[in-house]
Amino acid sequence: METKNKKLIGVDLGGTTIKFAILTAAGEIQQKWSIRTNILDEGSHIVPDIVDSINHHIDLYKMSRDQFIGIGMGTPGTVNREKGTVIGAYNLNWKTLQPVKEQIEKGTGLKFALDNDANCAGLGERWKGAGNDGDDVAFITLGTGVGGGLIANRKLIHGVNGAGGEVGHIIVEPNGYQCTCGNHGCLEQYASATGVVHLAQDLAEEYEGDSKLKAMIDNGDEITSKIVFDLAKAHDYLANRVVDKVTYYLGLAAANISNTLNPEYMVIGGGVSAAGDFLLDRVQKNFEKFAFPTVRTSTKLKLAELGNDAGVIGAASLATQFEENAN
Amino acid sequence: METKNKKLIGVDLGGTTIKFAILTAAGEIQQKWSIRTNILDEGSHIVPDIVDSINHHIDLYKMSRDQFIGIGMGTPGTVNREKGTVIGAYNLNWKTLQPVKEQIEKGTGLKFALDNDANCAGLGERWKGAGNDGDDVAFITLGTGVGGGLIANRKLIHGVNGAGGEVGHIIVEPNGYQCTCGNHGCLEQYASATGVVHLAQDLAEEYEGDSKLKAMIDNGDEITSKIVFDLAKAHDYLANRVVDKVTYYLGLAAANISNTLNPEYMVIGGGVSAAGDFLLDRVQKNFEKFAFPTVRTSTKLKLAELGNDAGVIGAASLATQFEENAN
């Protein structure tokens, strides 16, 4: 069978759900499904569940193994890509080294490649989303934390120890908020969902004027990043000051990443980016202030386009490395 | 003739001198020479001088054209690598587009490749210098300005419009000193030779205590970056405050580049780096403060090792792309 008619399988492993998709070699999703992540018993059910679900769906769709190029997966934690192992994925309860590649290849009879989840989402957006199949694409994802996937010359930047693309830990405010990594002033502390709430609480404390956001915080209501952005859109003064800060730090980081890499597209995704153009326009203003002139005119800021599918699409693209062998 | 016995030619074009070298395919310099850069008549003599000098030395060493894989050159200005043209190299008096590749290939009968000078120095340090032939190496050069060459997955990061590696324009002090690029707070304004002097002048103005540096500045003596570092080594208080500032900004930028790329080596070169370990140790301290933990332990800060040879060696490495064709 010719490679172009063969399929890829993409797996996006998260702390709550595991997403799967079967794609053409060109990256079009043909089938997708998901299962709940069972993190009980130190996450020992996760890999067997993935194997069972893949085997079940191959049978369900009456396909055979030689129709597949291979499987690619994105995972939380620290990945050893060569060995196909994962360690330190705490939201999966994986505390010890997991020989994921070995188990999945054995269980499915298919070749398997692995990378971290933010890198996979970046690969997905580069290939089939906002990155427009460009050679040089930077992706920042704003979720509970801030992650990234940086692609230069069509290849992910992993660096010497896999920490390439750790854009959540770029320092945007020396001596600023303390980060879970131990440092102070990391982007993640200002532009993640939790960072937005932290900023809102701090600014509310100093603020004396009229604001629904302030009233909610003073009342002890639970605040989310979405509430802050929705109130800002409704012209709440304090909420807008919070958004100004968030977009200042995001614009500064996006500009400095771009001054370093000059990507064709700087793509912003993740939950916080659901605020859409309201967020992007203000990030853009700060980006323009801090970007080197050549970068300002050649690097385009964009919102991510694939939503939840970015992970499975990018993960599947990892398996394209097996294409030649598959001929 | 086998490729491994063939030679490379490296050219490092600067505003004062043009450096040349003949190297083995493995990057060992076998001959080197230089000529003065004649920037008269809108720099129109430069390319003919390069052609003549190469032809003359090939004859001088009784070599033939088929002994060479090709020529690589580093140049100031904005490079179009595909077309082999240069524009905007003001220190060469090149105000219009220069068809460098066309002229040099025609004049020498050899294949020719081109990149900018900082990228070439970075390639040189990666290949035969402090970069230790690593896959991922970042190079910052501190001269009159601040430039960089960033290598990930063994390839230079050019980005979509060639501004990849413009690390001199990373913002380290939002709303800080205005830069020649129009932005405020670029690294170049704090860590270049001129930036060091600017900082010294500003800090001298506020400083009231005893200091030879202050006395010199008040006296209107000409200050250089070397004088500042030499006085700091001799325990001048004000000079040490200047060095603290310079190394703070350098450490912050080096950490943020490393948080983005996680290179195996972060190499610091250029005139200001002549201050040696005195500079590096203080940059290291700030780097450790701002680097993500994985980066802190896996990215090594180093001084450049090749000095003036980095440019010709890296330039020559551009020509290795012609090796296969040369077989």
Side-chain angles (χ1 to χ4, degrees), chain B:
Chain B
M1 179 177 294
E2 279 185 70
T3 292
K4 71 178 166 55
N5 292 324
K6 289 198 166 193
K7 311 297 181 201
L8 303 165
I9 295 177
V11 184
D12 181 7
L13 172 54
T16 316
T17 61
I18 309 171
K19 300 184 190 74
F20 298 83
I22 295 174
L23 302 88
T24 65
E28 302 306 322
I29 293 179
Q30 297 201 308
Q31 303 287 348
K32 60 179 179 175
W33 71 96
S34 66
I35 63 176
R36 196 175 52 83
T37 312
N38 179 358
I39 62 168
L40 296 177
D41 305 318
E42 301 210 332
S44 62
H45 305 287
I46 293 174
V47 172
D49 285 354
I50 291 171
V51 167
D52 288 349
S53 190
I54 289 173
N55 286 335
H56 172 67
H57 280 78
I58 291 177
D59 293 346
L60 186 69
Y61 301 127
K62 299 191 179 18
M63 298 177 81
S64 63
R65 268 154 195 72
D66 66 1
Q67 285 181 270
F68 290 94
I69 296 162
I71 304 169
M73 184 168 97
T75 176
T78 302
V79 171
N80 182 318
R81 287 172 296 128
E82 244 163 72
K83 296 185 179 153
T85 58
V86 181
I87 197 164
Y90 299 104
N91 57 343
L92 303 176
N93 264 339
W94 279 356
K95 289 157 190 165
T96 57
L97 190 82
Q98 305 287 318
V100 176
K101 175 187 161 87
E102 190 190 317
Q103 294 173 346
I104 292 184
E105 288 193 338
K106 196 173 160 199
T108 63
L110 293 171
K111 289 190 176 177
F112 178 84
L114 188 65
D115 211 319
N116 85 44
D117 41 13
N119 280 344
C120 286
L123 284 175
E125 286 289 343
R126 187 204 75 78
W127 192 23
K128 308 303 290 184
N132 210 15
D133 203 26
D135 291 350
D136 302 276
V137 175
F139 172 71
I140 305 182
T141 174
L142 312 173
T144 315
V146 171
L150 306 177
I151 294 127
N153 299 311
R154 302 184 81 85
K155 289 186 87 171
L156 271 171
I157 297 175
H158 290 100
V160 65
N161 203 5
E166 280 291 359
V167 298
H169 299 281
I170 287 178
I171 304 293
V172 292
E173 184 65 89
N175 307 313
Y177 289 165
Q178 184 162 16
C179 184
T180 49
C181 79
N183 289 344
H184 288 259
C186 295
L187 175 64
E188 178 160 299
Q189 293 305 311
Y190 299 92
S192 65
T194 43
V196 172
V197 172
H198 189 178
L199 275 173
Q201 287 165 332
D202 270 17
L203 292 178
E205 214 161 298
E206 306 162 3
Y207 182 64
E208 301 283 346
D210 193 45
S211 156
K212 185 161 177 205
L213 179 59
K214 172 152 176 82
M216 288 179 74
I217 290 171
D218 288 350
N219 195 40
D221 294 354
E222 199 191 335
I223 301 299
T224 63
S225 153
K226 183 177 181 332
I227 290 172
V228 173
F229 277 94
D230 285 346
L231 287 171
K233 287 177 185 173
H235 308 293
D236 183 278
Y237 179 81
L238 178 64
N240 271 289
R241 284 208 42 213
V242 176
V243 172
D244 282 343
K245 280 255 186 193
V246 172
T247 53
Y248 163 83
Y249 289 119
L250 262 175
L252 175 61
N256 276 342
I257 296 166
S258 300
N259 292 338
T260 306
L261 305 179
N262 189 202
E264 185 172 1
Y265 301 101
M266 164 65 66
V267 181
I268 299 179
V272 174
S273 78
D277 287 332
F278 182 77
L279 171 80
L280 192 70
D281 291 348
R282 295 211 211 174
V283 177
Q284 177 77 37
K285 245 173 55 184
N286 287 288
F287 173 82
E288 286 177 10
K289 181 174 170 190
F290 296 123
F292 182 61
T294 312
V295 170
R296 191 185 300 140
T297 52
S298 59
T299 293
K300 288 177 206 70
L301 242 64
K302 284 178 87 174
L303 293 167
E305 292 174 358
L306 299 178
N308 284 334
D309 289 344
V312 286
I313 293 174
S317 78
L318 296 173
T320 58
Q321 67 182 279
F322 304 128
E323 268 183 300
E324 288 188 330
N325 304 338
N327 272 321

Side-chain angles (χ1 to χ4, degrees), chain A residues 262-324:
Chain A
N262 190 201
E264 187 173 359
Y265 301 102
M266 162 66 66
V267 181
I268 299 180
V272 174
S273 77
D277 286 332
F278 182 78
L279 171 81
L280 193 69
D281 291 347
R282 295 211 212 173
V283 176
Q284 177 77 36
K285 244 173 55 185
N286 287 288
F287 173 82
E288 286 178 11
K289 181 175 171 189
F290 296 123
F292 182 60
T294 312
V295 170
R296 191 185 301 141
T297 53
S298 59
T299 294
K300 287 176 208 71
L301 243 65
K302 284 179 88 173
L303 293 167
E305 293 174 358
L306 299 179
N308 285 334
D309 290 343
V312 285
I313 293 174
S317 79
L318 296 174
T320 58
Q321 67 183 280
F322 306 127
E323 269 184 298
E324 287 188 330

Side-chain angles (χ1 to χ4, degrees), chain A residues 227-236 239-241 243 278 282:
Chain A
I227 290 173
V228 172
F229 277 94
D230 285 346
L231 287 172
K233 286 177 186 174
H235 307 294
D236 183 278
N240 272 290
R241 284 211 41 216
V243 172
F278 182 78
R282 295 211 212 173

Side-chain angles (χ1 to χ4, degrees), chain A:
Chain A
M1 182 176 292
E2 278 186 71
T3 291
K4 70 178 167 55
N5 293 324
K6 289 199 165 192
K7 311 297 181 204
L8 302 164
I9 295 176
V11 184
D12 181 6
L13 172 54
T16 317
T17 61
I18 309 172
K19 300 183 189 73
F20 298 81
I22 295 175
L23 301 90
T24 64
E28 302 306 322
I29 293 180
Q30 298 201 307
Q31 303 287 348
K32 61 178 179 175
W33 70 95
S34 67
I35 62 176
R36 197 175 51 83
T37 311
N38 179 358
I39 62 169
L40 296 177
D41 306 316
E42 302 210 332
S44 62
H45 304 287
I46 293 173
V47 173
D49 285 355
I50 291 170
V51 167
D52 288 349
S53 190
I54 289 173
N55 287 335
H56 172 68
H57 280 79
I58 290 176
D59 292 346
L60 185 69
Y61 299 128
K62 300 193 174 22
M63 298 176 82
S64 65
R65 270 156 194 70
D66 65 1
Q67 286 181 271
F68 291 94
I69 296 163
I71 304 168
M73 184 169 97
T75 176
T78 302
V79 171
N80 182 319
R81 287 173 295 129
E82 243 163 71
K83 295 184 180 156
T85 58
V86 181
I87 197 165
Y90 299 104
N91 57 343
L92 302 177
N93 263 339
W94 280 355
K95 289 156 191 166
T96 57
L97 190 83
Q98 305 288 317
V100 176
K101 176 188 161 87
E102 189 191 318
Q103 293 173 346
I104 292 184
E105 288 193 339
K106 196 174 159 198
T108 64
L110 293 172
K111 290 191 175 174
F112 179 83
L114 190 65
D115 211 318
N116 84 45
D117 41 13
N119 280 345
C120 286
L123 285 176
E125 286 290 344
R126 187 204 75 77
W127 192 23
K128 307 304 291 184
N132 210 15
D133 203 27
D135 291 349
D136 301 276
V137 175
F139 172 72
I140 305 183
T141 174
L142 313 173
T144 317
V146 171
L150 305 177
I151 294 127
N153 299 310
R154 303 184 81 84
K155 290 185 85 170
L156 272 171
I157 297 175
H158 290 100
V160 65
N161 204 5
E166 280 290 359
V167 298
H169 299 280
I170 288 177
I171 304 293
V172 291
E173 185 65 88
N175 306 313
Y177 290 163
Q178 185 163 16
C179 185
T180 49
C181 80
N183 289 345
H184 289 260
C186 295
L187 175 64
E188 178 160 299
Q189 293 306 310
Y190 299 92
S192 65
T194 42
V196 172
V197 172
H198 189 176
L199 274 172
Q201 287 165 332
D202 269 18
L203 292 179
E205 213 162 298
E206 304 163 5
Y207 183 63
E208 301 283 347
D210 192 46
S211 157
K212 185 162 178 205
L213 178 59
K214 173 154 175 80
M216 288 178 74
I217 290 171
D218 288 350
N219 195 41
D221 294 354
E222 198 190 336
I223 301 298
T224 64
S225 153
K226 183 176 182 334
I227 290 173
V228 172
F229 277 94
D230 285 346
L231 287 172
K233 286 177 186 174
H235 307 294
D236 183 278
Y237 179 81
L238 178 64
N240 272 290
R241 284 211 41 216
V242 176
V243 172
D244 282 344
K245 279 256 187 194
V246 171
T247 54
Y248 163 83
Y249 289 119
L250 262 175
L252 175 61
N256 276 343
I257 295 166
S258 300
N259 292 338
T260 307
L261 304 178
N262 190 201
E264 187 173 359
Y265 301 102
M266 162 66 66
V267 181
I268 299 180
V272 174
S273 77
D277 286 332
F278 182 78
L279 171 81
L280 193 69
D281 291 347
R282 295 211 212 173
V283 176
Q284 177 77 36
K285 244 173 55 185
N286 287 288
F287 173 82
E288 286 178 11
K289 181 175 171 189
F290 296 123
F292 182 60
T294 312
V295 170
R296 191 185 301 141
T297 53
S298 59
T299 294
K300 287 176 208 71
L301 243 65
K302 284 179 88 173
L303 293 167
E305 293 174 358
L306 299 179
N308 285 334
D309 290 343
V312 285
I313 293 174
S317 79
L318 296 174
T320 58
Q321 67 183 280
F322 306 127
E323 269 184 298
E324 287 188 330
N325 304 338
N327 272 321

